[in-house]
Amino acid sequence: MTESQPAVSMENISIEFPGVKALDGVSFRMFPGEVHSLLGENGAGKSTLIKALTGVYRIDSGVITLAGEEVSFHSTAEAQAAGVSTVYQEVNLLTNLTVAENIMLGREPRRFGFIDWRATRARAAELLAKLHLDIDPNSRLGSHSLAVQQLVAIARATDIHARVLILDEPTSSLDADEVQELFRIIRELKADGVAILFVSHFLDQVYDISDRLTVLRNGKLVGEYLTDELLRIELVQKMIGKELTVLEDLERKTKQQTVDEHELTPYVRAIGLGRKGSIEPLDLDVYEGEVVGLAGLLGSGRTELARILSGVDRADAGSLEIDGEAKRIRTPRQSIRDRIIYSSENRREEGIVDELTVRDNIVLALQADRGWFRPIPKKRQDELAESYIQALNIRPANPDALLKNLSGGNQQKVLLARWLAIAPRLLILDEPTRGIDVGAKAEIQKLVSNLAENGMSVLYISAELEEVLRLSHRIAVMRDRRMVADIENDDLTSDTLLAIIADGATTEAVA
Amino acid sequence: MNLNTVMAHRLFWPVVMLLVLLIINLLAFPGFFSIQVRDGHLFGSLIDILRNGSPTLMIAVGMTLVIATRGIDLSVGAICAISGAVACSIILGSSDPGSPATVAVAVGVSLLISLVLGVWNGFLVAVLGIQPIIATLILMTAGRGVAMLITEGQILTVNSPPFKAIGSGFFLGLPISVLIAAVIFVFALVLTRRTALGLMIEAVGINPEASRLAGVRARGLLITVYVFTAVCAAIAGLVLTSNQTAADANNTGLFIELDAILAVVIGGTSLAGGRYSLLGTLIGALVIQTLVTTVYTVGIPPIATMVFKAAVVTAVCLLQSPRTTELIESARRRQAHRRAKAVTA
């Protein structure tokens, strides 16, 4: 790698939010034709650094230069005009517009001052073709899966003749093939001399694609390294600043205490539960203190099953028994009454209430369950907030901070605190570790294991098979909206599990 | 508390605006702040502002809660007209218009009807899921027609001392209408902040789906809020009607919904819903009423009144806009950094 003139150079950048020092004298540079990964735990300042570069946040001090020229962007539009283009972690597109409109928004070709729709669609189609994305440019964006939406966002970013392309967690909702597709595109752009900033929590992907790494911790720079010269274990240590042995312990523990209590009545039993257009009728038992992993590909019906179990969506077939008694659960409120809690994979839209404080977010479900006319005393609220902030290591440890000022991983912990505060008996966790760094991931997994030991049942949904295998006593596999297996996690390996997910062996065949 | 924290407070600019308006009045009319006691009642320009602003404040209190849930209620003016029409027609139809019992019945029936109207609004919004601006537009339009039917197209003039007292009477030296507004204000404040109602309203306003998944029952909440606003509007309608001693289906409470919404916005509650400030609304309502008074004391020609009002409102909104706040904030932070650097160097 030649040390030519950097495409981007950020010197001594500081940004402060009310109560949070988000960036503290951080320097960062990017070279043309290079993929540079930005790494760090949640709250390390990755997103903030990106937003400083793209003009979303104004920096309090420091200098940003682009190809040797000092710049100061006041908006993303200015940054884009200068060739800095971004695809954000959460898809920031307009789902009610068409694919073509989304790709070309604000840059539509014009004729006589009016938008030339034919040219707009043609250009969009061309970009989609370049990404081998076979969708109709005239279809509504909202009708496509999150993965496709993500690729559309990338198509949009590549159209802007970008010298610098920023990809913030672009792969978090993509499956393996789609990731390879994305990487192919990244390599093409790289060959064209584009400087690419890649942020991902998947270390495999980071090592696969990047040339250079920069590690941040707590808003400060840890260092810049060439990927080839830094071992993974060193990288993880730099990211979290401590050694990591928790996970291995955890695995051993889970393996030891696989449950053998199946003569008992299950806590929750679904019999022929289904919903038209969502999942085919299926049976599922969850026993007290059991962690049931729910595996399957994106769109296999994992989330749908969770939503029906918890009354978020209504079942139209089958029945549900709780402690052996038939129950009808039609709303989340009813399911919370029975202490069945669903924690959504869609944190931003179905989880956090971002304008409220950490404390308000933690007490929300408990308060709703009590009814508004029986307020939780202020003192009790403070105790709850303080104890969960400590137990889950929420940063910043300030119950009065607005939730929107916290990083994704800390928001996730606040959500967990909200659910734990109502003492669930069955906790359904849908992708609780998505978009979260190694440290927080380990913390959350450890928590799940502890909770189960104390008698809580957990239905654990994750795209990461290792995680499901490590935590679960039993694993149910969904495929094409059917349950294709329900097996003990004795000596399952990720390869056998993968085979079931891919080929859909029936329950009998495996058992 | 240093100047920075004071300036960053969300109510800083509305309060400044109110003070500026009061000072302008004082300069134009030196006796502006004087309050006299006549026959045990308080009189003076400030008291007038409170009294004339009280109907707007009553409605704005309810409107604040509606707006916090991401809603809006355009029908409050029409509800004013209906409640006035109902009360006046009952009083006129009774054999003894001057008896307190008659007035009590008239007030009671008006309030009951407003309750029904509030349920109607809430039903359209919460159960049928119609957008609030459309849902309440229905009653805004239809309500005046209903009031017209009740008054049979006439202006109903009533001569009933107990009824007149609601709008122009005094109790403990203060105008009764001001006391009613104060009671509504305190009631709403205690109801939402001493219980968890305020938290629920804000949660639903910020993220309805997340609130549903957390077990918040948005439907009942929305209906409650629309009913409360309708009742506030009905009370305001009674005060206005009593003041004029006549129910005018066409003009009672005309455009009051706009003043109420304006009071909420000036008070810093976002029309996008979420966090709200009742104290801000109180200040907003006072700003609007003081503005009207200023027009007279300063002697601005009546034809320019609306333009003047618009100018002040624009100023407050500009000062409060997130963009302006951000600019002021970052300018100040950069200054602080420079100062810190200078110290270390």
Side-chain angles (χ1 to χ4, degrees):
Chain A
M1 218 53 55
T2 50
E3 297 267 326
S4 55
Q5 186 187 40
V8 173
S9 157
M10 301 172 81
E11 300 279 344
N12 267 317
I13 308 294
S14 292
I15 290 188
E16 209 177 319
F17 298 127
V20 191
K21 189 139 197 181
L23 282 182
D24 189 0
V26 171
S27 297
F28 176 71
R29 51 194 193 142
M30 289 169 70
F31 294 94
E34 222 183 75
V35 178
H36 194 145
S37 277
L38 193 53
L39 294 145
E41 291 205 276
N42 293 298
K46 297 177 307 240
S47 291
T48 314
L49 187 72
I50 290 171
K51 286 181 176 167
L53 176 57
T54 54
V56 177
Y57 295 150
R58 311 212 31 197
I59 53 175
D60 293 326
S61 69
V63 181
I64 302 177
T65 54
L66 211 63
E69 263 175 66
E70 184 171 344
V71 290
S72 163
F73 300 132
H74 295 100
S75 68
T76 46
E78 283 181 32
Q80 278 181 12
V84 178
S85 186
T86 317
V87 177
Y88 286 105
Q89 181 171 3
E90 326 254 337
V91 179
N92 272 324
L93 295 177
L94 306 163
T95 48
N96 54 344
L97 295 186
T98 67
V99 170
E101 284 166 331
N102 267 293
I103 294 178
M104 303 301 293
L105 189 69
R107 303 185 307 273
E108 297 90 346
R110 288 176 184 261
R111 264 181 93 198
F112 313 123
F114 295 100
I115 291 176
D116 181 349
W117 285 111
R118 192 176 305 186
T120 302
R121 283 189 285 269
R123 177 80 188 127
E126 201 179 297
L127 285 161
L128 291 172
K130 206 168 124 199
L131 298 189
H132 299 290
L133 203 55
D134 184 22
I135 55 173
D136 179 5
N138 285 328
S139 54
R140 251 178 10 97
L141 184 73
S143 67
H144 298 291
S145 69
L146 266 181
V148 171
Q149 292 185 23
Q150 185 83 52
L151 290 172
V152 169
I154 290 166
R156 174 179 167 79
T158 52
D159 175 53
I160 306 166
H161 298 285
R163 287 188 288 162
V164 178
L165 177 63
I166 299 167
L167 302 170
D168 189 0
E169 288 284 352
T171 57
S172 59
S173 49
L174 304 189
D175 68 28
D177 284 345
E178 289 163 333
V179 170
Q180 283 315 312
E181 200 51 40
L182 173 66
F183 281 4
R184 187 183 60 74
I185 292 157
I186 290 180
R187 290 192 182 104
E188 269 174 31
L189 292 168
K190 193 175 126 173
D192 289 346
V194 179
I196 294 160
L197 174 54
F198 181 78
V199 179
S200 171
H201 283 107
F202 299 107
L203 295 189
D204 285 344
Q205 295 176 3
V206 167
Y207 272 86
D208 193 0
I209 194 77
S210 32
D211 305 302
R212 198 183 286 269
L213 311 171
T214 287
V215 180
L216 300 180
R217 191 167 71 231
N218 291 332
K220 293 192 174 113
L221 178 70
V222 177
E224 187 200 89
Y225 314 92
L226 290 175
T227 313
D228 298 338
E229 293 171 5
L230 190 70
L231 291 176
R232 263 179 221 220
I233 185 76
E234 291 171 339
L235 172 63
V236 172
Q237 279 166 9
K238 288 188 194 309
M239 282 164 66
I240 64 179
K242 64 183 175 211
E243 292 198 33
L244 194 72
T245 50
V246 206
L247 287 180
E248 285 124 53
D249 287 353
L250 201 64
E251 194 158 2
R252 221 170 300 127
K253 224 164 159 186
T254 311
K255 289 277 145 70
Q256 275 167 9
Q257 47 142 186
T258 303
V259 280
D260 54 356
E261 56 207 55
H262 287 197
E263 316 87 62
L264 305 169
T265 328
Y267 170 49
V268 172
R269 163 168 276 175
I271 306 155
L273 201 67
R275 177 181 158 94
K276 225 175 165 169
S278 176
I279 49 167
E280 299 294 322
L282 54 81
D283 300 335
L284 179 71
D285 292 347
V286 182
Y287 292 85
E288 199 155 272
E290 190 181 36
V291 180
V292 177
L294 200 51
L297 296 173
L298 203 74
S300 62
R302 302 181 314 217
T303 296
E304 288 77 0
L305 171 59
R307 290 174 70 94
I308 289 169
L309 273 176
S310 57
V312 175
D313 295 332
R314 274 183 208 180
D316 59 11
S319 59
L320 200 65
E321 283 178 9
I322 296 173
D323 285 330
E325 261 177 66
K327 282 267 182 178
R328 299 199 66 175
I329 289 184
R330 309 170 66 103
T331 64
R333 190 177 168 78
Q334 286 171 352
S335 95
I336 288 175
R337 274 275 141 82
D338 285 309
R339 294 296 182 257
I340 299 177
I341 308 292
Y342 172 61
S343 178
S344 169
E345 62 172 339
N346 195 341
R347 192 163 59 221
R348 193 173 55 161
E349 266 148 39
E350 299 179 348
I352 62 168
V353 184
D354 60 353
E355 299 274 343
L356 290 183
T357 62
V358 169
R359 182 199 298 108
D360 286 344
N361 269 282
I362 290 177
V363 302
L364 183 64
L366 183 62
Q367 183 64 72
D369 190 45
R370 285 166 65 111
W372 59 263
F373 43 87
R374 281 179 54 217
I376 303 167
K378 182 80 175 49
K379 203 173 145 225
R380 176 89 189 104
Q381 291 190 22
D382 286 334
E383 284 167 11
L384 271 173
E386 294 289 350
S387 63
Y388 280 109
I389 284 172
Q390 230 172 40
L392 302 184
N393 192 22
I394 293 169
R395 291 283 168 268
N398 174 8
D400 290 312
L402 292 186
L403 200 59
K404 64 176 175 186
N405 289 339
L406 269 61
S407 69
N410 281 304
Q411 289 178 351
Q412 182 69 50
K413 289 187 198 166
V414 170
L415 276 183
L416 272 175
R418 176 194 293 170
W419 305 131
L420 295 179
I422 37 183
R425 289 188 59 195
L426 171 60
L427 182 59
I428 305 174
L429 294 172
D430 195 351
E431 297 278 9
T433 59
R434 177 151 90 194
I436 283 189
D437 62 84
V438 197
K441 242 179 208 172
E443 281 174 329
I444 285 174
Q445 293 177 21
K446 195 167 147 227
L447 182 74
V448 167
S449 160
N450 282 343
L451 291 170
E453 252 175 80
N454 289 317
M456 189 186 292
S457 314
V458 179
L459 191 61
Y460 196 90
I461 303 176
S462 173
E464 286 183 52
L465 294 184
E466 294 300 335
E467 211 172 281
V468 174
L469 283 166
R470 187 180 303 130
L471 286 173
S472 317
H473 302 122
R474 201 151 51 83
I475 295 177
V477 181
M478 299 291 293
R479 183 168 176 273
D480 294 340
R481 307 190 173 268
R482 284 167 208 278
M483 189 180 285
V484 292
D486 182 353
I487 40 182
E488 295 295 332
N489 182 14
D490 290 333
D491 41 13
L492 271 179
T493 63
S494 57
D495 286 344
T496 31
L497 191 53
L498 210 57
I500 301 171
I501 290 171
D503 304 330
T506 58
T507 316
E508 293 87 298
V510 172
Chain B
M1 216 194 298
N2 65 18
L3 187 68
N4 282 356
T5 39
V6 174
M7 271 188 75
H9 196 276
R10 66 206 291 208
L11 295 183
F12 177 75
W13 289 113
V15 169
V16 166
M17 187 55 69
L18 183 58
L19 292 178
V20 167
L21 283 172
L22 288 173
I23 290 166
I24 291 174
N25 278 295
L26 187 63
L27 294 177
F29 173 50
F32 189 75
F33 281 5
S34 81
I35 292 175
Q36 289 140 17
V37 182
R38 261 182 257 154
D39 309 332
H41 305 334
L42 296 177
F43 281 97
S45 303
L46 292 181
I47 302 293
D48 285 346
I49 288 176
L50 288 179
R51 184 165 71 185
N52 295 333
S54 59
T56 307
L57 175 62
M58 295 173 196
I59 294 176
V61 166
M63 190 70 80
T64 309
L65 302 183
V66 168
I67 286 177
T69 65
R70 281 194 181 182
I72 199 150
D73 189 345
L74 298 181
S75 69
V76 287
I79 294 175
C80 282
I82 293 176
S83 85
V86 168
C88 287
S89 63
I90 289 176
I91 292 170
L92 280 180
S94 104
S95 53
D96 185 7
S99 95
T102 309
V103 174
V105 170
V107 168
V109 173
S110 303
L111 295 186
L112 272 180
I113 288 175
S114 71
L115 210 91
V116 175
L117 297 175
V119 170
W120 164 256
N121 278 337
F123 173 78
L124 293 182
V125 172
V127 181
L128 299 189
I130 300 175
Q131 286 177 358
I133 195 164
I134 305 297
T136 56
L137 193 62
I138 295 172
L139 190 55
M140 178 187 184
T141 329
R144 297 246 170 230
V146 172
M148 201 70 113
L149 287 175
I150 296 169
T151 60
E152 292 171 338
Q154 308 290 312
I155 292 178
L156 302 181
T157 309
V158 293
N159 185 9
S160 162
F163 185 66
K164 195 172 187 319
I166 298 174
S168 37
F170 283 84
F171 182 70
L172 298 174
L174 280 168
I176 288 178
S177 58
V178 174
L179 293 172
I180 296 175
V183 168
I184 290 178
F185 179 78
V186 172
F187 174 76
L189 202 64
V190 170
L191 183 72
T192 59
R193 291 306 187 196
R194 290 283 154 176
T195 70
L197 194 60
L199 173 67
M200 300 289 145
I201 287 173
E202 289 181 334
V204 167
I206 296 165
N207 192 339
E209 187 58 12
S211 305
R212 184 174 84 95
L213 263 60
V216 178
R217 234 180 331 195
R219 194 174 280 185
L221 203 69
L222 288 175
I223 294 175
T224 309
V225 166
Y226 281 93
V227 167
F228 178 68
T229 305
V231 172
C232 289
I235 297 173
L238 292 174
V239 169
L240 288 168
T241 311
S242 153
N243 240 330
Q244 300 154 345
T245 63
D248 179 350
N250 279 324
N251 291 312
T252 304
L254 192 63
F255 294 142
I256 201 166
E257 61 278 345
L258 299 185
D259 275 349
I261 293 168
L262 212 53
V264 175
V265 172
I266 292 176
T269 300
S270 160
L271 280 178
R275 309 204 83 168
Y276 67 89
S277 163
L278 284 170
L279 195 62
T281 299
L282 170 63
I283 293 166
L286 290 176
V287 166
I288 291 174
Q289 193 56 46
T290 312
L291 202 57
V292 174
T293 311
T294 311
V295 170
Y296 297 119
T297 44
V298 180
I300 292 169
I303 33 173
T305 305
M306 296 301 260
V307 178
F308 179 68
K309 200 166 160 184
V312 175
V313 170
T314 309
V316 178
C317 292
L318 275 180
L319 287 170
Q320 275 178 297
S321 79
R323 189 89 190 113
T324 319
T325 320
E326 201 180 292
L327 285 176
I328 295 173
E329 268 296 297
S330 74
R332 195 178 306 135
R333 270 204 312 256
R334 237 166 302 167
Q335 210 181 349
H337 263 281
R338 229 171 292 146
R339 223 175 289 142
K341 244 186 216 162
V343 171
T344 47

